[in-house]
Amino acid sequence: EEAGFTIGAAGGEDGCYVATKFAPVPWRPGAESVVQACQASAQRLGVDSIDLYQIHWPDIIQPLKSIGIEKRKDEQYWDGLAQCYHQGLAKNVGVSNYGPTMIKRAHKALADRGVPLVSNQINFSLVRYQSSLETIKVCEELGIQVLAYFPLGNGLLAGKYDLNDKSTLPTFPKSITMKKYLKGSQTLLQEVQTIATTNNVSCAQVSLNWIMKKGVIPIPGCRNGAHALDNFASLDFVLSEEEVERLDVASMNSMEFSSGGFELE
């Protein structure tokens, strides 16, 4: 309401598109449970059909794996997504944290069920670039749109943290890891700042625009209206090819951001 959007309204000027996920946790038994989760989500969101319904990660939480017992249900979950699509509960389906191998498997499994796989949401940014290149390439080949979470590296790329000013740093324990990334990304952060100054835009806008230049859709978070407006303003300019190349080089020589627990497989 504060942002002027209406959940449940048609996507476009007067409303917003609704995307949500389900978690493939060990106690989720299979396809039917995915359908039930989708129904419950739609009811909570006040919509008849969810615009984009996604699986949160591959079925990697295997409590008994250490003793040699592993029972992955990826295929069953994909079947659940297909049922949601065919029943009209989801207009589109996607995956998250899928690497080259898993994205190919999921794409084929869903295609065999007559369902297009439209998106793959991954950790992608100027500080999480090299490890994502193969995944993005495969998605491009298959016509799957990549969505980027952590596009600003938890604020690292927004230009709000300063190693020399403790008051700008996040609270403990996040401050420990952020200091590490700040030290390992100085060349990149300086390049981002230089390009931001040249274009009279913010560091966040440069970082988000770079992602869009890679054909990826960033999904940045925001704590207030000012953050939201700053994020939207990344659509108002376009980095030059020379600027993109400079950022590529700086990124390749930067410390990589945490995988967040999801190594793309």
Side-chain angles (χ1 to χ4, degrees):
E1 292 177 358
E2 187 176 335
F5 293 112
T6 303
I7 298 295
E13 292 184 1
D14 300 323
C16 57
Y17 293 101
V18 178
T20 190
K21 304 173 184 173
F22 75 91
V25 289
W27 52 89
R28 193 178 297 286
E32 187 55 38
S33 67
V34 174
V35 175
Q36 292 169 356
C38 188
Q39 291 171 329
S41 290
Q43 184 175 12
R44 287 192 298 270
L45 290 165
V47 298
D48 295 324
S49 182
I50 295 170
D51 294 301
L52 176 61
Y53 195 50
Q54 307 152 98
I55 185 170
H56 214 311
W57 54 73
D59 189 20
I60 57 176
I61 302 177
Q62 300 291 322
L64 302 179
K65 186 176 180 178
S66 61
I67 59 173
I69 300 176
E70 185 174 11
K71 186 179 179 181
R72 292 185 59 153
K73 300 187 291 290
D74 297 287
E75 288 276 354
Q76 295 177 53
Y77 294 143
W78 299 334
D79 189 48
L81 284 174
Q83 290 185 37
C84 291
Y85 178 83
H86 286 304
Q87 291 179 29
L89 291 168
K91 296 174 184 175
N92 299 281
V93 299
V95 296
S96 305
N97 299 297
Y98 275 38
T101 300
M102 288 298 293
I103 201 70
K104 289 176 184 177
R105 286 184 55 203
H107 179 268
K108 183 180 186 307
L110 288 166
D112 288 346
R113 293 166 172 80
V115 179
L117 176 57
V118 302
S119 65
N120 182 23
Q121 186 179 139
I122 63 172
N123 184 349
F124 180 70
S125 71
L126 276 164
V127 287
R128 186 71 184 174
Y129 179 35
Q130 300 175 62
S131 58
S132 304
L133 289 175
E134 183 60 27
T135 296
I136 291 174
K137 179 183 177 183
V138 170
C139 286
E140 287 177 348
E141 292 171 350
L142 296 175
I144 299 168
Q145 178 63 57
V146 177
L147 310 178
Y149 69 83
F150 288 164
L152 298 176
N154 268 0
L156 178 66
L157 294 163
K160 66 179 185 178
Y161 298 135
D162 185 346
L163 269 176
N164 300 314
D165 185 352
K166 292 183 179 180
S167 67
T168 67
L169 298 176
T171 56
F172 180 85
K174 184 180 175 182
S175 60
I176 296 176
T177 54
M178 192 54 68
K179 285 179 183 178
K180 176 181 70 174
Y181 292 129
L182 280 166
K183 290 177 181 177
S185 307
Q186 281 302 296
T187 300
L188 170 62
L189 297 178
Q190 288 168 9
E191 191 69 85
V192 171
Q193 181 62 70
T194 298
I195 292 173
T197 301
T198 300
N199 288 278
N200 195 28
V201 297
S202 70
C203 290
Q205 289 166 23
V206 169
S207 301
L208 295 175
N209 198 272
W210 176 85
I211 290 175
M212 290 184 281
K213 289 286 286 185
K214 298 300 179 182
V216 177
I217 298 175
I219 46 175
C222 56
R223 293 182 180 274
N224 52 51
H227 286 169
L229 288 172
D230 191 64
N231 291 339
F232 280 126
S234 64
L235 297 166
D236 295 336
F237 81 107
V238 179
L239 291 167
S240 69
E241 294 305 317
E242 184 265 342
E243 289 170 330
V244 171
E245 185 176 345
R246 281 161 53 192
L247 290 168
D248 288 352
V249 172
S251 176
M252 289 293 189
N253 292 302
S254 173
M255 181 179 189
E256 275 235 316
F257 196 72
S258 168
S259 67
F262 300 109
E263 296 296 341
L264 299 176
E265 60 177 46

